[in-house]
Amino acid sequence: MELFHLIASVLQQPVTMELTRMGVVYAHLIACCVAIGLVLTSDIAMIKQLFQGTDSTAADKEHLHMLKKTVLLALAALWVTGIGILALDYSQKGAMYFLNPKLQSKILVVVLLTINGWVLHSVVMPAMDKAGSLLKLDINARTIALFSGVVSGVSWFYGAMLGIARPLSWKYSLGEIMVAYPVLICLGFAAMTLLVKWAANRAEAKAPARLNPALASW
């Protein structure tokens, strides 16, 4: 019993709380950085393939599955460490802490990111595996894949911005903080739709020449 009280008293010390929070925030940051780095490199590789007109290889598919597992682990770590941060801050600041619009916006983005992640891994990636590439998906599946991919990219970067945006705390409403979020998604979706349509048209134009080599000389 005395040992329990000793441990409890140590954990309640301000210095201990600060160091604990620093460690949890550091783990939270690492999880976010890993996910953003993987998502960014994957998106750049996909855009590069669309511009070059190359098809996905077996190595690309293997990388996609590895990306899926790693991002899922990073998202799980983000939730665990995020809940830890919320618990530590709540113990110090009370229920008023949750009324901060910046905090509410960050939680909202993470929830949307999680729902979108389920769509990506349950609907989009199985369809991509079956079709072989983004351009070979039917129009409906391709639209879902593009929208879900854009939401993923915007959400990771928007959430990271909110994580370091201390000047926004208590100064702006939830609507004001989130106003750029749907705008970025719409712009990203429009840009990717145009890029994929251009790549698909180019692939269709090249198809007859591949089927009939004699046409290549004309």
Side-chain angles (χ1 to χ4, degrees):
M1 186 64 70
E2 291 181 359
L3 178 61
F4 173 79
H5 286 301
L6 177 62
I7 295 174
S9 62
V10 170
L11 291 176
Q12 290 175 356
Q13 294 294 321
V15 175
T16 304
M17 293 290 290
E18 289 176 2
L19 292 176
T20 302
R21 189 183 189 282
M22 184 180 70
V24 176
V25 169
Y26 181 69
H28 191 73
L29 176 65
I30 292 298
C32 187
C33 289
V34 168
I36 287 178
L38 289 172
V39 169
L40 181 61
T41 54
S42 176
D43 288 349
I44 291 174
M46 181 188 68
I47 292 172
K48 185 178 179 181
Q49 280 188 337
L50 290 173
F51 274 114
Q52 294 177 343
T54 56
D55 293 327
S56 298
T57 63
D60 293 329
K61 292 181 179 179
E62 184 178 350
H63 170 72
L64 189 65
H65 286 292
M66 183 63 67
L67 174 70
K68 173 182 175 180
K69 294 178 182 178
T70 307
V71 173
L72 277 177
L73 289 174
L75 185 58
L78 203 69
W79 269 105
V80 172
T81 54
I83 291 173
I85 295 170
L86 292 177
L88 288 170
D89 288 345
Y90 170 73
S91 67
Q92 296 292 311
K93 302 175 183 178
M96 284 291 294
Y97 169 69
F98 294 105
L99 299 180
N100 186 347
K102 190 199 76 120
L103 175 64
Q104 294 171 355
S105 62
K106 186 177 180 182
I107 294 174
L108 177 59
V109 169
V110 174
V111 169
L112 293 175
L113 180 64
T114 304
I115 296 172
N116 185 71
W118 179 84
V119 174
L120 269 174
H121 297 103
S122 300
V123 179
V124 175
M125 288 190 175
M128 289 275 289
D129 284 339
K130 186 176 180 180
S133 71
L134 180 65
L135 296 181
K136 294 178 182 178
L137 292 172
D138 64 73
I139 187 64
N140 292 328
R142 188 188 301 172
T143 301
I144 294 173
L146 287 176
F147 184 78
S148 187
V150 170
V151 170
S152 176
V154 171
S155 297
W156 278 110
F157 281 94
Y158 210 83
M161 181 274 294
L162 292 173
I164 55 93
R166 285 184 176 270
L168 299 181
S169 293
W170 302 105
K171 292 183 179 180
Y172 302 94
S173 66
L174 176 62
E176 290 172 330
I177 294 174
M178 291 296 295
V179 68
Y181 182 74
V183 174
L184 291 173
I185 289 176
C186 290
L187 291 175
F189 179 68
M192 287 303 300
T193 300
L194 291 174
L195 175 59
V196 170
K197 185 174 180 58
W198 171 79
N201 290 339
R202 185 180 61 175
E204 290 177 2
K206 289 182 177 180
R210 290 177 180 174
L211 293 174
N212 189 355
L215 296 177
S217 60
W218 288 82

